[in-house]
Amino acid sequence: MKISELPRESILLPGNPSCQGCPHGLGLRALGMALENIVLVIPAGCTTIISGIHPKASFNVPVLHVPFASAAAVASGLAAAYRQEGIDANVVVWMGDGGADIGFATLSGAAVRNEDIIVVVSDNEAYMNTGIQSSGTTFWKAKTTTSPGGKSEEKKDLATIMLMHRVPYVATASVGYLPDFIEKLRRASEIKGFRFIHLHSPCPPGWRFDSSRTVEIARLAVKSGAWVLWEYDGRFSISTPSKPYKNEERGAPLEEYIKAQGRFKGIKPEDIEEIRRKIEKQWRLLLSFEETFR
Ligand code: SF4
């Protein structure tokens, strides 16, 4: 796939009110390049703000704003209604990690029913929109306004939880590797049923790094093995950008990724070692999935 051959018109219009270097902006542009006939369902979050206020909306596709907990349920009904009317639409739930925490019941329910929708969780690892509170997917030891000494709870592995719903398609992606994300969206769009993509989205103000470095930080996460790109479509595979880092000696040092972010300021060396152990454990789990889901 060549980026130059993809549609140039973005579903997200210029002049929108996202912060500089916002990862959602990157992801949403890629979404528009990957799919046609998109209908967005958005629970509360940064993307609600990004989409703007009527009549000066930032999207040029239909958008339904819904309460947190209802997003996957509303999308399920919408997809059924379009099907009934014979309308070809890609119903996409675009939510943050807050939406996935607070809306988990309907997310899980839609997965269990194998609803014909695509869900993208653009995960910036905290509730940025309401003041950087810790979420289920906030990294262990990351400082947020509700974890000023560093988060003490374990990070929730959302994509693996969705995989265990036995749905037809689950993948992880990163705003640092948009061609990989676009290819995954395209493959997902060729499959019927519930499709889930967990998009890693480093947030400059929330993670405290300069807004020019979003893509660099996202790539460091993958290169240090802290975020692993994988795909399940009946078979489980580690995706091409992550493949070199199966062998940790070829990756970027974990310290480089951790120390680039103000949210880990003052982290102790032994905590970095503990993060390294957690990452190794995660890799062992994912490599065992490659064996299991062949
Ligand atoms: S807080 Fe982060 S995710 Fe939210 S709009 Fe700003 S850069 Fe984007």
Side-chain angles (χ1 to χ4, degrees), residues 61-208:
V61 294
V63 178
L64 203 56
H65 291 287
V66 295
F68 272 124
S70 67
V74 171
S76 304
L78 204 54
Y82 280 127
R83 207 162 45 242
Q84 180 78 17
E85 294 294 313
I87 297 170
D88 181 25
N90 273 313
V91 177
V92 178
V93 178
W94 180 277
M95 60 165 76
D97 41 318
D101 276 354
I102 302 164
F104 187 75
T106 53
L107 180 62
S108 176
V112 167
R113 296 190 307 274
N114 196 25
E115 298 286 354
D116 194 26
I117 59 175
I118 296 175
V119 177
V120 178
V121 171
S122 186
D123 183 1
N124 53 23
E125 299 184 351
Y127 300 166
M128 304 307 179
N129 184 47
T130 47
I132 319 179
Q133 296 90 357
S134 150
S135 76
T137 58
T138 299
F139 215 91
W140 184 71
K141 287 292 166 193
K143 292 187 169 87
T144 67
T145 49
T146 50
S147 59
K151 189 189 176 197
S152 51
E153 298 87 21
E154 194 55 83
K155 177 179 165 64
K156 177 167 82 180
D157 185 355
L158 185 60
T160 299
I161 293 168
M162 297 317 293
L163 180 70
M164 290 303 132
H165 282 71
R166 319 287 185 205
V167 292
Y169 188 88
V170 181
T172 60
S174 162
V175 296
Y177 295 89
L178 291 178
D180 175 75
F181 178 42
I182 291 170
E183 277 176 13
K184 285 171 174 164
L185 282 163
R186 292 208 154 177
R187 262 196 297 281
S189 73
E190 287 159 10
I191 295 171
K192 285 271 167 223
F194 188 90
R195 292 142 290 163
F196 181 86
I197 301 182
H198 194 181
L199 178 69
H200 195 230
S201 294
C203 160
W207 295 22
R208 286 184 267 150

Side-chain angles (χ1 to χ4, degrees), residues 18-24 46 50 124 128-129 203-206:
S18 59
C19 311
Q20 283 185 354
C22 177
H24 299 325
C46 285
I50 293 169
N124 53 23
M128 304 307 179
N129 184 47
C203 160

Side-chain angles (χ1 to χ4, degrees), residues 206-222:
W207 295 22
R208 286 184 267 150
F209 59 80
D210 188 85
S211 57
S212 63
R213 299 185 71 194
T214 306
V215 168
E216 182 194 342
I217 302 289
R219 288 187 182 165
L220 269 177
V222 173

Side-chain angles (χ1 to χ4, degrees), residues 250-269:
R250 294 175 63 189
L254 178 61
E255 287 79 357
E256 209 182 311
Y257 174 56
I258 298 282
K259 292 196 170 158
Q261 305 167 50
R263 65 179 178 155
F264 291 114
K265 193 161 182 247
I267 191 169
K268 297 188 192 117

